[in-house]
Coordinates of all heavy atoms in Angstrom, one line a residue:
R34 N 2.3 15.1 -1.6 CA 2.0 15.5 -2.9 C 3.1 15.1 -3.8 O 4.3 15.5 -3.7 CB 1.8 17.0 -3.0 CG 1.3 17.5 -4.3 CD 1.1 19.0 -4.5 NE 0.5 19.6 -3.3 CZ 0.4 20.9 -3.1 NH1 0.8 21.7 -4.0 NH2 -0.1 21.3 -2.0
L35 N 2.7 14.4 -4.8 CA 3.7 13.9 -5.8 C 3.8 14.7 -7.1 O 4.7 14.7 -7.8 CB 3.4 12.4 -6.1 CG 3.4 11.4 -5.0 CD1 3.0 10.0 -5.4 CD2 4.8 11.4 -4.3
G36 N 2.7 15.4 -7.4 CA 2.6 16.2 -8.6 C 1.3 16.9 -8.7 O 0.3 16.6 -8.1
T37 N 1.4 18.0 -9.5 CA 0.2 18.8 -9.8 C 0.2 19.1 -11.3 O 1.2 19.1 -12.0 CB 0.1 20.1 -9.0 OG1 1.3 20.9 -9.4 CG2 0.1 19.8 -7.5
G38 N -1.0 19.4 -11.8 CA -1.2 19.8 -13.2 C -2.3 20.8 -13.3 O -3.2 20.8 -12.5
R39 N -2.2 21.6 -14.3 CA -3.2 22.6 -14.6 C -3.5 22.6 -16.1 O -2.6 22.3 -16.9 CB -2.7 24.0 -14.2 CG -2.9 24.3 -12.8 CD -2.5 25.8 -12.6 NE -3.7 26.7 -12.8 CZ -4.6 27.0 -11.9 NH1 -4.5 26.5 -10.7 NH2 -5.6 27.8 -12.1
A40 N -4.7 22.9 -16.4 CA -5.1 23.1 -17.8 C -6.3 24.1 -17.9 O -6.7 24.5 -16.9 CB -5.5 21.7 -18.4
G41 N -6.7 24.3 -19.1 CA -7.8 25.2 -19.4 C -9.1 24.6 -18.8 O -9.2 23.5 -18.3
G42 N -10.2 25.3 -19.1 CA -11.5 24.9 -18.6 C -11.9 23.4 -19.2 O -11.7 23.2 -20.4
G43 N -12.4 22.6 -18.3 CA -12.7 21.2 -18.7 C -14.1 20.8 -18.5 O -14.5 19.7 -18.5
N44 N -15.0 21.8 -18.2 CA -16.4 21.5 -18.0 C -17.0 21.2 -19.4 O -17.0 22.1 -20.3 CB -17.0 22.7 -17.4 CG -18.5 22.4 -16.9 OD1 -19.2 21.9 -17.7 ND2 -18.8 22.6 -15.7
P45 N -17.6 20.0 -19.6 CA -18.1 19.6 -20.9 C -19.4 20.5 -21.2 O -19.7 20.7 -22.4 CB -18.5 18.1 -20.7 CG -18.5 17.9 -19.3 CD -17.6 18.9 -18.6
T46 N -20.1 21.0 -20.2 CA -21.3 21.8 -20.5 C -20.8 23.1 -21.1 O -21.5 23.6 -22.0 CB -22.0 22.0 -19.2 OG1 -22.4 20.8 -18.6 CG2 -23.3 22.9 -19.5
S47 N -19.7 23.7 -20.7 CA -19.2 25.0 -21.1 C -18.4 24.8 -22.5 O -18.4 25.7 -23.3 CB -18.3 25.6 -20.1 OG -18.9 25.8 -18.9
H48 N -17.6 23.7 -22.6 CA -16.7 23.6 -23.7 C -16.9 22.4 -24.6 O -16.1 22.3 -25.6 CB -15.3 23.5 -23.1 CG -14.9 24.7 -22.2 ND1 -14.8 26.0 -22.7 CD2 -14.8 24.8 -20.9 CE1 -14.5 26.8 -21.7 NE2 -14.5 26.1 -20.6
G49 N -17.8 21.6 -24.4 CA -18.0 20.4 -25.2 C -17.1 19.2 -24.7 O -16.1 19.4 -24.0
A50 N -17.6 18.0 -25.0 CA -16.9 16.8 -24.5 C -15.5 16.6 -24.9 O -14.6 16.2 -24.2 CB -17.7 15.6 -24.8
E51 N -15.2 16.9 -26.2 CA -13.9 16.6 -26.8 C -12.8 17.6 -26.1 O -11.8 17.1 -25.7 CB -13.9 16.9 -28.3 CG -12.6 16.4 -28.9 CD -12.7 16.5 -30.5 OE1 -13.8 16.0 -31.0 OE2 -11.7 16.9 -31.1
R52 N -13.2 18.9 -26.0 CA -12.2 19.8 -25.4 C -12.1 19.5 -23.9 O -11.0 19.5 -23.4 CB -12.7 21.2 -25.6 CG -11.7 22.2 -24.9 CD -12.0 23.6 -25.1 NE -11.2 24.4 -24.2 CZ -11.5 25.7 -23.9 NH1 -12.5 26.2 -24.5 NH2 -10.7 26.3 -23.1
A53 N -13.2 19.1 -23.2 CA -13.1 18.8 -21.8 C -12.2 17.7 -21.6 O -11.4 17.7 -20.7 CB -14.5 18.5 -21.3
A54 N -12.3 16.6 -22.4 CA -11.5 15.4 -22.2 C -10.0 15.8 -22.5 O -9.1 15.3 -21.7 CB -11.9 14.3 -23.2
A55 N -9.7 16.6 -23.4 CA -8.3 17.0 -23.7 C -7.7 17.8 -22.5 O -6.6 17.6 -22.1 CB -8.3 17.9 -25.0
E56 N -8.5 18.7 -21.9 CA -8.0 19.5 -20.8 C -7.8 18.6 -19.6 O -6.8 18.8 -18.8 CB -9.0 20.6 -20.4 CG -9.2 21.6 -21.6 CD -8.0 22.4 -22.0 OE1 -7.0 22.4 -21.3 OE2 -8.0 23.0 -23.1
L57 N -8.7 17.6 -19.3 CA -8.5 16.7 -18.2 C -7.2 15.9 -18.4 O -6.4 15.7 -17.5 CB -9.7 15.8 -18.1 CG -10.8 16.1 -17.1 CD1 -11.5 17.4 -17.6 CD2 -11.7 15.0 -16.9
L58 N -7.0 15.4 -19.6 CA -5.8 14.7 -19.9 C -4.5 15.5 -19.7 O -3.5 15.0 -19.1 CB -5.8 14.2 -21.4 CG -4.7 13.3 -21.8 CD1 -4.5 12.1 -21.0 CD2 -4.9 13.0 -23.3

Side-chain angles (χ1 to χ4, degrees):
R34 188 181 318 171
L35 302 175
T37 61
R39 279 188 85 88
N44 188 309
T46 302
S47 303
H48 302 292
E51 189 172 319
R52 177 171 169 204
E56 299 297 346
L57 266 67
L58 181 59

